[in-house]
């Protein structure tokens, strides 16, 4: 009887707790009671950015209109710089460990994308809605010709540190061959020097997805004897496709999507 009575009390307490419990999960579009709508937008947009960075959002052409201010604040504030610095620190730690364990092979290499990986196009997007407008290839090409995009500070630091470790630097960009001169001028302007290769799209690459184009170029690099230890890019399409690097590192970019 004592055991039965104890069981009855436990069940009663659990039932009372369940009746008083509040839902743990809430839809991101639901505004909690007493929270202003702008706070709800911030919650939604922070969740949307996470979805973008993890690849859950899938293809998209422009950021949600309600998130334009959020993306601007993220890109101009400390969080973008901090997130980028964490990715760079993780990259360097992996590279040093891989070389120390002998995993680099005879020709260890690191592949970098260019836009939003080595160079920041924030000055362009600052006057073009931070991604809230659909991509305009003509105006972006004009910006590329200016060749004044600044370096991402953490990426420039990582770039030099990898060179100091003896790793071959390969630049693999979705830019086209006709932009080679402007790209080289901009890279030098931003402080990048002594890369092994700068690979741009050739005529046969026009129309290929970034995944197809970049994976084909990585295969060619491996055929030349490079061991691709790391690959840094702001798009999943910079990193996916076979062959892949030993480790791939995704940099933040909530402004646009490239398939």
């Amino acid at each position: 009887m004592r055991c039965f009575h104890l069981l009855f009390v436990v069940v009663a307490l659990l039932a009372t707790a369940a009746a008083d419990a509040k839902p743990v999960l809430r839809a991101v579009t639901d505004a909690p009671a007493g929270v202003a709508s702008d706070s709800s937008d911030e919650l939604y947009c922070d969740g949307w950015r996470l979805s973008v960075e993890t690849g859950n959002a899938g293809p998209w052409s422009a950021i949600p209109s309600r998130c334009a201010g959020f993306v601007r604040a993220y890109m101009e504030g400390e969080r973008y710089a901090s997130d980028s610095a964490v990715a760079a620190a993780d990259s360097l730690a992996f590279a040093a460990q891989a070389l120390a364990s002998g995993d680099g092979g005879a020709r260890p290499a690191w592949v970098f994308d260019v836009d939003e990986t080595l160079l920041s196009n924030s000055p362009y997007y600052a006057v073009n809605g931070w991604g809230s407008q659909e991509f305009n290839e003509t105006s972006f090409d004009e910006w590329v010709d200016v060749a004044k995009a600044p370096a991402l500070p953490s990426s420039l630091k990582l770039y030099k540190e990898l060179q100091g470790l003896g790793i071959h630097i390969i630049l693999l960009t979705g830019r086209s061959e006709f932009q080679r001169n402007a790209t080289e001028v901009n890279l030098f302007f931003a402080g990048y020097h002594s890369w092994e290769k700068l690979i741009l799209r050739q005529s046969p690459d026009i129309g290929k997805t970034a995944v197809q184009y970049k994976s084909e170029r990585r295969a060619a690099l491996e055929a030349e004897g490079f061991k691709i230890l790391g690959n840094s890019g702001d798009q999943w399409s910079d990193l996916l496709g076979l062959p892949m690097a030993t480790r791939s590192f995704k940099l933040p970019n909530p402004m646009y999507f490239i398939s």
Side-chain angles (χ1 to χ4, degrees), residues 2-241:
R2 179 178 297 178
C3 291
F4 177 79
H5 176 72
L6 180 60
L7 178 62
F8 176 80
V9 171
V10 171
V11 170
L13 288 173
L14 290 175
T16 301
D20 293 338
K22 292 181 173 61
V24 174
L25 298 179
R26 188 198 311 273
V28 293
T29 53
D30 292 344
V35 178
S37 60
D38 58 345
S39 297
S40 178
D41 283 349
E42 183 174 350
L43 287 173
Y44 168 80
C45 294
D46 204 20
W48 172 81
R49 187 178 68 84
L50 176 63
S51 182
V52 165
E53 298 300 357
T54 55
N56 292 340
W60 52 280
S61 58
I63 65 175
S65 58
R66 66 193 284 192
C67 297
F70 174 86
V71 171
R72 176 190 61 78
Y74 173 78
M75 295 298 298
E76 291 182 342
E78 296 179 351
R79 291 182 63 191
Y80 175 60
S82 176
D83 290 348
S84 300
V86 169
D90 289 343
S91 301
L92 181 63
F94 162 73
Q97 181 181 32
L99 292 180
S101 62
D103 292 339
R107 301 181 74 188
W110 199 282
V111 174
F112 282 100
D113 175 51
V114 172
D115 294 299
E116 272 56 69
T117 300
L118 295 181
L119 300 178
S120 170
N121 295 301
S122 290
Y124 170 82
Y125 285 101
V127 295
N128 286 277
W130 293 103
S132 60
Q133 305 170 13
E134 291 199 21
F135 181 69
N136 185 312
E137 186 172 358
T138 300
S139 67
F140 185 75
D141 286 349
E142 292 171 352
W143 159 251
V144 169
D145 287 340
V146 174
K148 295 294 185 181
L152 274 79
S154 56
S155 292
L156 179 58
K157 181 174 181 289
L158 172 63
Y159 181 100
K160 293 179 177 180
E161 288 169 333
L162 293 176
Q163 284 183 321
L165 293 175
I167 294 177
H168 300 270
I169 303 296
I170 311 293
L171 311 186
L172 176 53
T173 174
R175 294 185 180 191
S176 297
E177 179 61 35
F178 75 88
Q179 296 170 313
R180 177 177 294 276
N181 183 65
T183 301
E184 289 181 339
V185 169
N186 199 155
L187 288 165
F188 283 123
F189 163 80
Y192 296 100
H193 302 278
S194 306
W195 53 80
E196 183 90 10
K197 292 176 180 287
L198 171 58
I199 303 172
L200 301 96
R201 283 184 186 261
Q202 306 299 309
S203 296
D205 300 316
I206 305 302
K208 292 179 181 178
T209 65
V211 172
Q212 180 184 1
Y213 157 64
K214 293 199 170 187
S215 58
E216 288 176 352
R217 291 298 177 270
R218 290 195 299 273
L221 290 169
E222 288 195 350
E224 293 179 34
F226 290 104
K227 168 71 172 181
I228 304 177
L229 282 179
N231 185 7
S232 297
D234 66 292
Q235 302 287 320
W236 283 109
S237 55
D238 297 328
L239 312 173
L240 298 176

